[in-house]
PDB file of all heavy atoms in Angstrom:
ATOM      1  N   SER A  18     -81.031  93.406  53.250  1.00 96.00           N
ATOM      2  CA  SER A  18     -79.705  92.802  53.068  1.00 96.00           C
ATOM      3  C   SER A  18     -78.583  93.801  53.312  1.00 96.00           C
ATOM      4  O   SER A  18     -77.478  93.409  53.711  1.00 96.00           O
ATOM      5  CB  SER A  18     -79.582  92.217  51.659  1.00 96.00           C
ATOM      6  OG  SER A  18     -79.792  93.217  50.674  1.00 96.00           O
ATOM      7  N   ASP A  19     -78.834  95.106  53.066  1.00 95.00           N
ATOM      8  CA  ASP A  19     -77.823  96.116  53.356  1.00 95.00           C
ATOM      9  C   ASP A  19     -77.423  96.080  54.824  1.00 95.00           C
ATOM     10  O   ASP A  19     -76.245  96.241  55.177  1.00 95.00           O
ATOM     11  CB  ASP A  19     -78.347  97.517  53.018  1.00 95.00           C
ATOM     12  CG  ASP A  19     -78.413  97.775  51.530  1.00 95.00           C
ATOM     13  OD1 ASP A  19     -78.071  96.871  50.739  1.00 95.00           O
ATOM     14  OD2 ASP A  19     -78.815  98.890  51.147  1.00 95.00           O
ATOM     15  N   PHE A  20     -78.415  95.896  55.674  1.00 97.00           N
ATOM     16  CA  PHE A  20     -78.176  95.892  57.115  1.00 97.00           C
ATOM     17  C   PHE A  20     -77.575  94.562  57.568  1.00 97.00           C
ATOM     18  O   PHE A  20     -76.636  94.530  58.373  1.00 97.00           O
ATOM     19  CB  PHE A  20     -79.488  96.155  57.858  1.00 97.00           C
ATOM     20  CG  PHE A  20     -80.114  97.479  57.547  1.00 97.00           C
ATOM     21  CD1 PHE A  20     -80.982  97.618  56.474  1.00 97.00           C
ATOM     22  CD2 PHE A  20     -79.823  98.597  58.312  1.00 97.00           C
ATOM     23  CE1 PHE A  20     -81.550  98.845  56.171  1.00 97.00           C
ATOM     24  CE2 PHE A  20     -80.389  99.823  58.028  1.00 97.00           C
ATOM     25  CZ  PHE A  20     -81.255  99.948  56.948  1.00 97.00           C
ATOM     26  N   LEU A  21     -78.111  93.474  57.035  1.00 97.00           N
ATOM     27  CA  LEU A  21     -77.677  92.154  57.483  1.00 97.00           C
ATOM     28  C   LEU A  21     -76.225  91.883  57.120  1.00 97.00           C
ATOM     29  O   LEU A  21     -75.529  91.170  57.845  1.00 97.00           O
ATOM     30  CB  LEU A  21     -78.586  91.077  56.887  1.00 97.00           C
ATOM     31  CG  LEU A  21     -80.049  91.118  57.335  1.00 97.00           C
ATOM     32  CD1 LEU A  21     -80.840  90.013  56.641  1.00 97.00           C
ATOM     33  CD2 LEU A  21     -80.174  91.003  58.849  1.00 97.00           C
ATOM     34  N   ARG A  22     -75.755  92.446  56.007  1.00 96.00           N
ATOM     35  CA  ARG A  22     -74.384  92.147  55.584  1.00 96.00           C
ATOM     36  C   ARG A  22     -73.339  92.702  56.543  1.00 96.00           C
ATOM     37  O   ARG A  22     -72.182  92.281  56.523  1.00 96.00           O
ATOM     38  CB  ARG A  22     -74.129  92.674  54.176  1.00 96.00           C
ATOM     39  CG  ARG A  22     -74.012  94.163  54.066  1.00 96.00           C
ATOM     40  CD  ARG A  22     -73.935  94.626  52.624  1.00 96.00           C
ATOM     41  NE  ARG A  22     -73.854  96.080  52.557  1.00 96.00           N
ATOM     42  CZ  ARG A  22     -74.203  96.788  51.484  1.00 96.00           C
ATOM     43  NH1 ARG A  22     -74.670  96.173  50.410  1.00 96.00           N
ATOM     44  NH2 ARG A  22     -74.082  98.095  51.496  1.00 96.00           N
ATOM     45  N   VAL A  23     -73.749  93.666  57.392  1.00 96.00           N
ATOM     46  CA  VAL A  23     -72.821  94.170  58.412  1.00 96.00           C
ATOM     47  C   VAL A  23     -73.299  93.819  59.821  1.00 96.00           C
ATOM     48  O   VAL A  23     -72.883  94.413  60.802  1.00 96.00           O
ATOM     49  CB  VAL A  23     -72.613  95.698  58.274  1.00 96.00           C
ATOM     50  CG1 VAL A  23     -71.887  96.019  56.989  1.00 96.00           C
ATOM     51  CG2 VAL A  23     -73.928  96.463  58.365  1.00 96.00           C
ATOM     52  N   GLY A  24     -74.200  92.824  59.886  1.00 97.00           N
ATOM     53  CA  GLY A  24     -74.610  92.293  61.177  1.00 97.00           C
ATOM     54  C   GLY A  24     -75.572  93.155  61.967  1.00 97.00           C
ATOM     55  O   GLY A  24     -75.588  93.088  63.201  1.00 97.00           O
ATOM     56  N   VAL A  25     -76.399  93.956  61.278  1.00 98.00           N
ATOM     57  CA  VAL A  25     -77.354  94.826  61.959  1.00 98.00           C
ATOM     58  C   VAL A  25     -78.772  94.388  61.612  1.00 98.00           C
ATOM     59  O   VAL A  25     -79.105  94.197  60.440  1.00 98.00           O
ATOM     60  CB  VAL A  25     -77.152  96.303  61.558  1.00 98.00           C
ATOM     61  CG1 VAL A  25     -78.243  97.184  62.178  1.00 98.00           C
ATOM     62  CG2 VAL A  25     -75.773  96.777  61.992  1.00 98.00           C
ATOM     63  N   ARG A  26     -79.600  94.235  62.621  1.00 97.00           N
ATOM     64  CA  ARG A  26     -81.015  93.915  62.434  1.00 97.00           C
ATOM     65  C   ARG A  26     -81.872  95.052  62.959  1.00 97.00           C
ATOM     66  O   ARG A  26     -81.484  95.751  63.897  1.00 97.00           O
ATOM     67  CB  ARG A  26     -81.381  92.613  63.160  1.00 97.00           C
ATOM     68  CG  ARG A  26     -80.697  91.381  62.583  1.00 97.00           C
ATOM     69  CD  ARG A  26     -81.156  90.109  63.269  1.00 97.00           C
ATOM     70  NE  ARG A  26     -80.524  88.940  62.687  1.00 97.00           N
ATOM     71  CZ  ARG A  26     -80.962  88.309  61.597  1.00 97.00           C
ATOM     72  NH1 ARG A  26     -82.067  88.751  60.991  1.00 97.00           N
ATOM     73  NH2 ARG A  26     -80.336  87.255  61.121  1.00 97.00           N
ATOM     74  N   ALA A  27     -83.025  95.216  62.353  1.00 97.00           N
ATOM     75  CA  ALA A  27     -83.969  96.217  62.843  1.00 97.00           C
ATOM     76  C   ALA A  27     -84.419  95.846  64.254  1.00 97.00           C
ATOM     77  O   ALA A  27     -84.578  94.662  64.573  1.00 97.00           O
ATOM     78  CB  ALA A  27     -85.170  96.297  61.918  1.00 97.00           C
ATOM     79  N   PRO A  28     -84.614  96.828  65.126  1.00 96.00           N
ATOM     80  CA  PRO A  28     -85.025  96.525  66.503  1.00 96.00           C
ATOM     81  C   PRO A  28     -86.360  95.788  66.563  1.00 96.00           C
ATOM     82  O   PRO A  28     -87.279  96.066  65.783  1.00 96.00           O
ATOM     83  CB  PRO A  28     -85.145  97.920  67.140  1.00 96.00           C
ATOM     84  CG  PRO A  28     -84.288  98.798  66.300  1.00 96.00           C
ATOM     85  CD  PRO A  28     -84.398  98.261  64.909  1.00 96.00           C
ATOM     86  N   ALA A  29     -86.449  94.861  67.474  1.00 96.00           N
ATOM     87  CA  ALA A  29     -87.689  94.095  67.640  1.00 96.00           C
ATOM     88  C   ALA A  29     -88.842  94.971  68.100  1.00 96.00           C
ATOM     89  O   ALA A  29     -90.006  94.589  67.965  1.00 96.00           O
ATOM     90  CB  ALA A  29     -87.462  92.960  68.641  1.00 96.00           C
ATOM     91  N   SER A  30     -88.546  96.142  68.637  1.00 96.00           N
ATOM     92  CA  SER A  30     -89.597  97.051  69.109  1.00 96.00           C
ATOM     93  C   SER A  30     -90.334  97.742  67.966  1.00 96.00           C
ATOM     94  O   SER A  30     -91.336  98.420  68.199  1.00 96.00           O
ATOM     95  CB  SER A  30     -88.981  98.119  70.012  1.00 96.00           C
ATOM     96  OG  SER A  30     -88.004  98.862  69.295  1.00 96.00           O
ATOM     97  N   LEU A  31     -89.848  97.579  66.714  1.00 97.00           N
ATOM     98  CA  LEU A  31     -90.435  98.251  65.555  1.00 97.00           C
ATOM     99  C   LEU A  31     -90.978  97.223  64.569  1.00 97.00           C
ATOM    100  O   LEU A  31     -90.406  96.152  64.390  1.00 97.00           O
ATOM    101  CB  LEU A  31     -89.377  99.104  64.852  1.00 97.00           C
ATOM    102  CG  LEU A  31     -88.653 100.146  65.695  1.00 97.00           C
ATOM    103  CD1 LEU A  31     -87.503 100.758  64.900  1.00 97.00           C
ATOM    104  CD2 LEU A  31     -89.621 101.238  66.150  1.00 97.00           C
ATOM    105  N   ALA A  32     -92.076  97.564  63.929  1.00 97.00           N
ATOM    106  CA  ALA A  32     -92.629  96.744  62.852  1.00 97.00           C
ATOM    107  C   ALA A  32     -92.146  97.341  61.540  1.00 97.00           C
ATOM    108  O   ALA A  32     -92.659  98.363  61.081  1.00 97.00           O
ATOM    109  CB  ALA A  32     -94.157  96.742  62.916  1.00 97.00           C
ATOM    110  N   VAL A  33     -91.142  96.719  60.935  1.00 97.00           N
ATOM    111  CA  VAL A  33     -90.439  97.311  59.795  1.00 97.00           C
ATOM    112  C   VAL A  33     -90.767  96.566  58.516  1.00 97.00           C
ATOM    113  O   VAL A  33     -90.700  95.332  58.459  1.00 97.00           O
ATOM    114  CB  VAL A  33     -88.910  97.289  60.027  1.00 97.00           C
ATOM    115  CG1 VAL A  33     -88.193  97.935  58.841  1.00 97.00           C
ATOM    116  CG2 VAL A  33     -88.562  98.004  61.332  1.00 97.00           C
ATOM    117  N   ALA A  34     -91.100  97.326  57.476  1.00 97.00           N
ATOM    118  CA  ALA A  34     -91.254  96.792  56.127  1.00 97.00           C
ATOM    119  C   ALA A  34     -90.120  97.337  55.274  1.00 97.00           C
ATOM    120  O   ALA A  34     -89.900  98.557  55.247  1.00 97.00           O
ATOM    121  CB  ALA A  34     -92.602  97.198  55.538  1.00 97.00           C
ATOM    122  N   PHE A  35     -89.416  96.458  54.607  1.00 97.00           N
ATOM    123  CA  PHE A  35     -88.321  96.859  53.732  1.00 97.00           C
ATOM    124  C   PHE A  35     -88.837  96.889  52.293  1.00 97.00           C
ATOM    125  O   PHE A  35     -89.275  95.873  51.768  1.00 97.00           O
ATOM    126  CB  PHE A  35     -87.144  95.887  53.863  1.00 97.00           C
ATOM    127  CG  PHE A  35     -86.506  95.893  55.224  1.00 97.00           C
ATOM    128  CD1 PHE A  35     -86.973  95.049  56.236  1.00 97.00           C
ATOM    129  CD2 PHE A  35     -85.455  96.737  55.497  1.00 97.00           C
ATOM    130  CE1 PHE A  35     -86.378  95.058  57.485  1.00 97.00           C
ATOM    131  CE2 PHE A  35     -84.849  96.747  56.752  1.00 97.00           C
ATOM    132  CZ  PHE A  35     -85.325  95.913  57.749  1.00 97.00           C
ATOM    133  N   ARG A  36     -88.774  98.043  51.675  1.00 95.00           N
ATOM    134  CA  ARG A  36     -89.274  98.209  50.316  1.00 95.00           C
ATOM    135  C   ARG A  36     -88.378  99.180  49.558  1.00 95.00           C
ATOM    136  O   ARG A  36     -87.636  99.970  50.150  1.00 95.00           O
ATOM    137  CB  ARG A  36     -90.704  98.755  50.308  1.00 95.00           C
ATOM    138  CG  ARG A  36     -91.753  97.875  50.937  1.00 95.00           C
ATOM    139  CD  ARG A  36     -92.035  96.634  50.088  1.00 95.00           C
ATOM    140  NE  ARG A  36     -93.203  95.919  50.570  1.00 95.00           N
ATOM    141  CZ  ARG A  36     -93.192  95.039  51.595  1.00 95.00           C
ATOM    142  NH1 ARG A  36     -92.049  94.799  52.248  1.00 95.00           N
ATOM    143  NH2 ARG A  36     -94.285  94.422  51.969  1.00 95.00           N
ATOM    144  N   GLU A  37     -88.475  99.152  48.221  1.00 87.00           N
ATOM    145  CA  GLU A  37     -87.914 100.179  47.366  1.00 87.00           C
ATOM    146  C   GLU A  37     -89.015 101.190  47.073  1.00 87.00           C
ATOM    147  O   GLU A  37     -90.201 100.825  47.073  1.00 87.00           O
ATOM    148  CB  GLU A  37     -87.387  99.581  46.062  1.00 87.00           C
ATOM    149  CG  GLU A  37     -86.232  98.616  46.230  1.00 87.00           C
ATOM    150  CD  GLU A  37     -84.953  99.306  46.648  1.00 87.00           C
ATOM    151  OE1 GLU A  37     -84.819 100.532  46.398  1.00 87.00           O
ATOM    152  OE2 GLU A  37     -84.085  98.642  47.240  1.00 87.00           O
ATOM    153  N   PRO A  38     -88.658 102.484  46.837  1.00 83.00           N
ATOM    154  CA  PRO A  38     -89.699 103.495  46.598  1.00 83.00           C
ATOM    155  C   PRO A  38     -90.674 103.129  45.495  1.00 83.00           C
ATOM    156  O   PRO A  38     -91.852 103.461  45.558  1.00 83.00           O
ATOM    157  CB  PRO A  38     -88.881 104.743  46.230  1.00 83.00           C
ATOM    158  CG  PRO A  38     -87.584 104.557  46.946  1.00 83.00           C
ATOM    159  CD  PRO A  38     -87.311 103.085  46.876  1.00 83.00           C
ATOM    160  N   GLY A  39     -90.237 102.385  44.457  1.00 84.00           N
ATOM    161  CA  GLY A  39     -91.112 102.049  43.344  1.00 84.00           C
ATOM    162  C   GLY A  39     -91.888 100.765  43.513  1.00 84.00           C
ATOM    163  O   GLY A  39     -92.645 100.375  42.610  1.00 84.00           O
ATOM    164  N   ASP A  40     -91.725 100.067  44.626  1.00 88.00           N
ATOM    165  CA  ASP A  40     -92.461  98.822  44.835  1.00 88.00           C
ATOM    166  C   ASP A  40     -93.960  99.089  44.870  1.00 88.00           C
ATOM    167  O   ASP A  40     -94.419 100.140  45.347  1.00 88.00           O
ATOM    168  CB  ASP A  40     -92.019  98.156  46.134  1.00 88.00           C
ATOM    169  CG  ASP A  40     -90.634  97.523  46.017  1.00 88.00           C
ATOM    170  OD1 ASP A  40     -90.123  97.443  44.886  1.00 88.00           O
ATOM    171  OD2 ASP A  40     -90.068  97.126  47.056  1.00 88.00           O
TER     172      ASP A  40
END
Side-chain angles (χ1 to χ4, degrees):
S18 58
D19 286 1
F20 299 88
L21 296 179
R22 72 187 179 203
V23 293
V25 175
R26 294 184 178 276
S30 60
L31 304 172
V33 181
F35 295 89
R36 297 289 190 278
E37 296 290 337
D40 287 350

